[in-house]
């Protein structure tokens, strides 16, 4: 994995009512990788509003990591 790579991940945002985001995998871009590969940050872009948000994920080889899955 490198900065700029595109992944398909499920966003982990929460909401309710009209602002609920579905849990389907979405395309995201890797924007940061910790120098010791402890975690990475991905950026999602909303198709409806064009706004972006970022989420931090752990690599699968770390305890509880559920971020790097390729769907």
């Amino acid at each position: 994995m490198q900065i700029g790579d595109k992944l398909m991940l499920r966003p982990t945002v929460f909401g309710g009512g009209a602002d609920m985001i579905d849990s389907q995998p979405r395309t995201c871009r890797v924007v940061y990788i910790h120098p010791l590969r402890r975690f990475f940050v991905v950026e999602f872009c909303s198709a409806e509003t064009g706004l972006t948000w970022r989420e931090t994920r752990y690599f699968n080889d770390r305890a509880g990591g559920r971020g790097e899955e390729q769907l």
Side-chain angles (χ1 to χ4, degrees):
M1 175 185 307
Q2 296 179 4
I3 293 174
D5 284 355
K6 294 193 184 236
L7 305 174
M8 286 292 288
L9 300 174
R10 286 183 174 87
T12 58
V13 297
F14 298 95
D19 63 347
M20 179 71 84
I21 294 179
D22 60 29
S23 62
Q24 298 301 316
R26 293 177 171 249
T27 303
C28 58
R29 183 175 54 95
V30 178
V31 294
Y32 177 79
I33 300 173
H34 187 274
L36 299 177
R37 294 184 64 84
R38 293 182 177 166
F39 63 89
F40 60 100
V41 178
V42 293
E43 183 177 73
F44 292 91
C45 182
S46 170
E48 293 81 24
T49 64
L51 298 175
T52 60
W53 74 95
R54 294 181 178 190
E55 295 185 2
T56 301
R57 303 288 182 110
Y58 290 105
F59 288 97
N60 284 337
D61 61 348
R62 301 213 23 105
R66 46 172 282 265
E68 196 182 2
E69 72 257 12
Q70 295 284 337
L71 302 174

